[in-house]
Amino acid sequence: MKAGGGKALQIALIGNPNSGKSTVFNQLTGLRQKTGNFPGVTVDIHKGKIRLPDGAEVVLIDFPGAYSIYPTSSDEKLVAAILTDPGGPHYPDVVLYVADATHLEKHLLLLTQLMDLHLPVVLALNIMDGAGEDGTVVDAQRLSKLLGIPVVAINGRTGANIPDVLGELQNLLRHPPTPVLRPVYQLNTQEKQIAEAVQQNLGVALPYRALLLAHHREWLPFLSDEDRQTLAAINQTKDFHSLRAQVDETMARYDHFTPLVEQVVHKPWNAPHSVTDRIDAVLTHALWGPLVFVGVMLLVFQAIFDWSSVPMDFIENQFAALNGWLHHRLPGHWTTDLLTDGILAGLSGILVFVPQIAILFFLIALLEEVGYMARVVFMFDKSMRRFGMNGRSVVALISSGACAVPAIMSARTISNWKERLITIMVTPFISCSARLPVYSVLIGLAVPADRVLGVFNLQGITFAGMYLLGVVAALGSGWLMKKYLHSREPSFLALELPVYRVPHWKNVGLTVWEKTKAFVEGAGKIILLISIVLWALASYGPADDMLAAGVRAEQTAAALSLDEAAQADLTAAYRLEASWAGQLGKFIEPAIRPLGYDWKIGIALITSFAAREVFVATMSTIYSIGSTDDEALLREKMRHARFSDSAEPVYTLATAMSLLVFYALAMQCMSTLAVVKRETGSWKWALLQFLAMSGMAYLFAFLVYRLFL
């Protein structure tokens, strides 16, 4: 079915957050949906195709949740911008408005604003099963007569009455209703004058839309500079105070529809406390609430860290087996190395994160569906605001203990741009599982296994200290960013606590699929590209140097009577030293020498950008034990390492502690950097994060090195 000009007809799915809108979208579209972004924003928009009863296919757009057309977040700004631009490509032909029947009054504000924009609307009263739990009855037919629009009582979870909704949508598309001459909200004298002036100067047909342009003149993207100047002059001439007028309009709308709700919603006089109220008495309690949350997050962290190990190991083993098979079958050529050590290694670095991402978003979606995540936001919002974040940031920070990649992606639930950005920027400070191999080698190398107070192991205390350092760095950085990062976007908590309910497994499954697919398709391209670049740097170098490295390895192996495997390890070590990565390591040695590092550590710092855990593999290659995978032997060789110019030991306690602090604070993960770029929509923030974290890591590593000397 096409609109005028050949454009496919579009139905906007609109509603408040927690209205069940996404559940309805999934019921209507299933897997026939895709995620995208409108130009200039990073807010995810879901589009899907639905088939009407007559067989026609139309596009359904799931708009971000919004409480009003007077926005307080980037999500609501997007909704307001589209609905005030009837000539825009995403302006809907019909609106399907989803409202929670258990909180009907709160959901009618935005609905009446849509009606005053003369948008054809079908009202879907969702979660009717929840409305009936306490004996509440909603008269949908009566509400339809009072509002003058089609109203259908549905259950988005079971799909009950969804065909009736499709029938009403089809009817509105085929027979658009005549606009109601008497709007819900009556403009006052000043607003009428402003609307008339805007209509005359900008050619806007509808008075209420003209008034909205006057309200939002500063940020609406489709307005020209000349339009903004005209609107500013009108507002100044009429002495128009936008915020005061918005409050007055909101109160007037509530005065209008509150009596309507009283006529159609019937609650029993002696309604008992609901199950939700009884659960909230514990889960939002000042003492028990945070304790329960810590327990839940420990379970989430354990699940991400533990459950993912089997599939992650399986993926790594399969890629290793495929790599070995290709090396055996294909000729010894640079294209073979590119395929195995470049492309396949890059793909492995992408897909190995899939289990953690899938498990994290499965658990988050589960907690969202149940209704618990809204309580978490409510409990911790005040505390997190001191550090420039909000309650939703807690989940991202804790999840980062497993992996920063899915944790940063989980920050999409934060609507305020400034708070979301701060969360994304500080999340990588939290020690992730990729740092564990580095901690294990260095702590075992330099920290004695002595006990403190007869109970605590000194190595364990050092290990815990690395995690504490990450938490302090994250909160401290958030506090600084809050001071210096400015945003006009207001920051306050507008939240509706939904009733607890059994999760809708279809929603959970689609969420996991969508988030995992977004990571593989979005960040995966960048990770693969960087993997190939790192492979090239570590595999190639000046021709004479690489040839000399091979000859030196053969001579040394012959002198020491090494077997074939040991000779291969030695050759790999010498070639890595002669490669461009080795050259870079030696080039940066003067810069890292103040931290106690030599050129070999410099190579590890460079290759670790592929992933922090590559540090161990790189050191194993450099110290010629690449094929043995013996951590104890690696420690022993590192323990005897000496600086070439002074013969002083490299890996002292000072160097090890300095290196621990550096890896705890530095941004050395291309996967994370790629996701930050994708989530912020710009390389600016990703590069700023890389430089800031690297600078902080260098400074504190230097101070620690001097302290332990």
Side-chain angles (χ1 to χ4, degrees):
M1 185 178 285
K2 302 286 185 180
K7 185 186 77 171
L9 288 173
Q10 297 182 143
I11 298 175
L13 186 62
I14 299 178
N16 291 184
N18 295 316
S19 63
K21 179 171 56 67
S22 296
T23 305
V24 175
F25 180 76
N26 291 334
Q27 283 283 2
L28 289 169
T29 63
L31 289 174
R32 304 174 69 206
Q33 56 179 266
K34 62 180 180 179
T35 304
N37 295 109
F38 284 128
V41 299
T42 57
V43 179
D44 275 347
I45 298 296
H46 303 282
K47 287 186 178 183
K49 292 182 179 180
I50 62 174
R51 195 170 297 279
L52 300 177
D54 63 1
E57 212 173 50
V58 296
V59 176
L60 180 67
I61 305 176
D62 184 13
F63 280 40
Y67 292 104
S68 166
I69 211 164
Y70 294 120
T72 58
S73 70
S74 57
D75 284 6
E76 291 184 325
K77 277 188 175 181
L78 178 62
V79 175
I82 293 172
L83 296 180
T84 51
D85 182 19
H90 304 293
Y91 191 78
D93 299 285
V94 170
V95 172
L96 174 56
Y97 189 85
V98 181
D100 184 350
T102 61
H103 301 90
L104 184 57
E105 183 176 352
K106 299 176 183 178
H107 290 249
L108 293 185
L109 173 61
L110 179 57
L111 173 67
T112 58
Q113 290 175 324
L114 298 179
M115 292 168 61
D116 282 349
L117 285 172
H118 290 183
L119 282 162
V121 182
V122 174
L123 172 59
L125 288 179
N126 194 24
I127 324 180
M128 291 303 296
D129 55 339
E133 283 181 358
D134 60 356
T136 300
V137 177
V138 181
D139 189 342
Q141 292 185 348
R142 174 72 172 158
L143 182 61
S144 177
K145 292 180 181 179
L146 292 172
L147 292 176
I149 61 174
V151 178
V152 182
I154 67 168
N155 188 322
R157 295 162 54 78
T158 65
N161 294 338
I162 290 293
D164 296 340
V165 171
L166 292 173
E168 294 291 353
L169 291 171
Q170 176 181 285
N171 184 53
L172 286 183
L173 288 170
R174 284 187 169 184
H175 311 287
T178 302
V180 179
L181 296 179
R182 180 178 175 81
V184 176
Y185 173 66
Q186 303 292 323
L187 274 61
N188 60 36
T189 302
Q190 183 190 43
E191 290 171 331
K192 286 180 180 178
Q193 293 175 351
I194 291 173
E196 289 173 358
V198 173
Q199 287 179 285
Q200 292 173 1
N201 286 275
L202 270 66
V204 180
L206 192 63
Y208 186 59
R209 180 171 287 113
L211 180 64
L212 291 176
L213 298 186
H215 277 296
H216 305 323
R217 61 177 176 81
E218 293 184 352
W219 60 266
L220 283 175
F222 56 85
L223 293 177
S224 65
D225 291 339
E226 184 180 350
D227 291 338
R228 298 182 201 281
Q229 293 173 3
T230 301
L231 291 168
I234 293 173
N235 287 359
Q236 186 175 7
T237 302
K238 304 297 183 182
D239 193 25
F240 182 54
H241 299 281
S242 177
L243 182 58
R244 184 191 306 165
Q246 292 178 32
V247 173
D248 291 342
E249 178 189 329
T250 300
M251 298 305 297
R253 289 186 182 277
Y254 269 93
D255 289 341
H256 173 81
F257 58 69
T258 297
L260 302 186
V261 174
E262 292 174 352
Q263 295 182 53
V264 300
V265 178
H266 307 289
K267 295 184 177 181
W269 288 98
N270 58 345
H273 288 293
S274 66
V275 175
T276 294
D277 293 334
R278 293 195 292 272
I279 296 175
D280 276 344
V282 177
L283 296 188
T284 61
H285 188 272
L287 173 62
W288 300 115
L291 290 178
V292 171
F293 171 75
V294 170
V296 170
M297 286 297 105
L298 285 175
L299 289 175
V300 170
F301 176 79
Q302 179 65 24
I304 297 171
F305 189 75
D306 190 26
W307 297 356
S308 64
S309 61
V310 174
M312 290 177 76
D313 290 343
F314 175 79
I315 292 171
E316 288 183 330
N317 292 337
Q318 294 304 307
F319 270 97
L322 178 60
N323 235 324
W325 184 83
L326 289 174
H327 267 299
H328 180 70
R329 294 283 182 175
L330 297 177
H333 192 262
W334 71 267
T335 55
T336 299
D337 293 336
L338 172 61
L339 175 63
T340 56
D341 300 331
I343 296 175
L344 285 181
L347 288 174
S348 175
I350 297 166
L351 298 180
V352 75
F353 285 109
V354 167
Q356 286 186 327
I357 293 171
I359 291 172
L360 173 65
F361 281 109
F362 170 77
L363 295 173
I364 288 180
L366 201 62
L367 294 174
E368 286 275 11
E369 281 284 310
V370 170
Y372 180 65
M373 292 306 296
R375 274 76 184 175
V376 173
V377 176
F378 168 74
M379 284 190 295
F380 290 99
D381 185 74
K382 184 176 180 181
S383 300
M384 295 305 295
R385 287 187 187 280
R386 298 172 184 172
F387 304 102
M389 293 172 274
N390 68 26
R392 296 184 185 273
S393 306
V394 174
V395 179
L397 293 177
I398 292 181
S399 301
S400 188
C403 178
V405 171
I408 288 172
M409 292 171 65
S410 72
R412 293 177 179 181
T413 58
I414 302 172
S415 59
N416 180 277
W417 172 83
K418 177 180 175 181
E419 293 168 350
R420 182 182 180 221
L421 180 63
I422 291 177
T423 302
I424 290 173
M425 296 292 280
V426 306
T427 289
F429 279 117
I430 306 299
S431 288
C432 63
S433 58
R435 289 178 169 105
L436 299 184
V438 183
Y439 292 168
S440 176
V441 169
L442 294 175
I443 291 175
L445 173 69
V447 180
D450 298 340
R451 292 197 173 274
V452 179
L453 302 176
V455 178
F456 302 104
N457 184 291
L458 194 58
Q459 292 179 337
I461 292 175
T462 305
F463 191 85
M466 293 301 100
Y467 275 88
L468 180 60
L469 175 62
V471 172
V472 172
L475 296 179
S477 300
W479 184 81
L480 286 175
M481 289 187 69
K482 176 188 175 184
K483 296 293 183 182
Y484 296 103
L485 189 64
H486 301 289
S487 172
R488 293 183 178 181
E489 192 173 313
S491 174
F492 58 86
L493 182 64
L495 182 68
E496 182 178 323
L497 300 183
V499 296
Y500 292 104
R501 56 177 59 90
V502 176
H504 190 258
W505 297 108
K506 184 177 182 180
N507 281 1
V508 174
L510 286 171
T511 298
V512 173
W513 168 257
E514 170 203 322
K515 303 296 185 185
T516 305
K517 182 181 176 184
F519 166 72
V520 173
E521 292 182 349
K525 299 172 186 176
I526 301 173
I527 296 171
L528 183 60
L529 176 62
I530 297 177
S531 293
I532 295 173
V533 172
L534 289 174
W535 163 81
L537 289 175
S539 300
Y540 294 95
D544 293 341
D545 293 346
M546 296 295 285
L547 182 62
V551 172
R552 185 158 64 102
E554 289 181 7
Q555 294 173 346
T556 305
L560 298 176
S561 300
L562 299 180
D563 59 25
E564 185 177 345
Q567 181 177 339
D569 291 340
L570 187 65
T571 301
Y574 285 175
R575 286 180 62 83
L576 179 60
E577 179 183 352
S579 70
W580 293 117
Q583 301 287 337
L584 284 173
K586 292 181 178 180
F587 176 76
I588 67 173
E589 184 175 16
I592 60 178
R593 187 65 179 268
L595 309 182
Y597 309 160
D598 66 353
W599 65 268
K600 296 179 181 179
I601 297 177
I603 294 177
L605 294 180
I606 294 170
T607 58
S608 289
F609 187 60
R612 294 180 181 93
E613 61 267 35
V614 172
F615 170 85
V616 178
T618 302
M619 300 308 289
S620 296
T621 301
I622 291 174
Y623 287 103
S624 307
I625 64 167
S627 61
T628 64
D629 194 24
D630 189 336
E631 194 172 288
L633 179 58
L634 173 61
R635 286 201 194 104
E636 186 64 23
K637 290 213 170 189
M638 292 171 68
R639 195 171 280 118
H640 290 90
R642 295 288 187 271
F643 285 107
S644 57
D645 56 354
S646 66
E648 293 291 326
V650 175
Y651 294 96
T652 61
L653 176 62
T655 301
M657 295 304 296
S658 170
L659 208 55
L660 280 171
V661 170
F662 188 90
Y663 269 87
L665 298 179
M667 166 60 86
Q668 283 179 292
C669 180
M670 66 175 180
S671 306
T672 303
L673 203 62
V675 169
V676 170
K677 184 268 176 187
R678 183 186 186 278
E679 295 298 301
T680 60
S682 169
W683 276 112
K684 177 183 74 172
W685 295 110
L687 294 176
L688 178 62
Q689 182 185 52
F690 174 76
L691 294 173
M693 292 183 67
S694 299
M696 187 183 300
Y698 187 95
L699 173 63
F700 282 94
F702 172 77
L703 294 176
V704 168
Y705 179 70
R706 304 305 299 180
L707 178 66
F708 280 89
L709 271 181

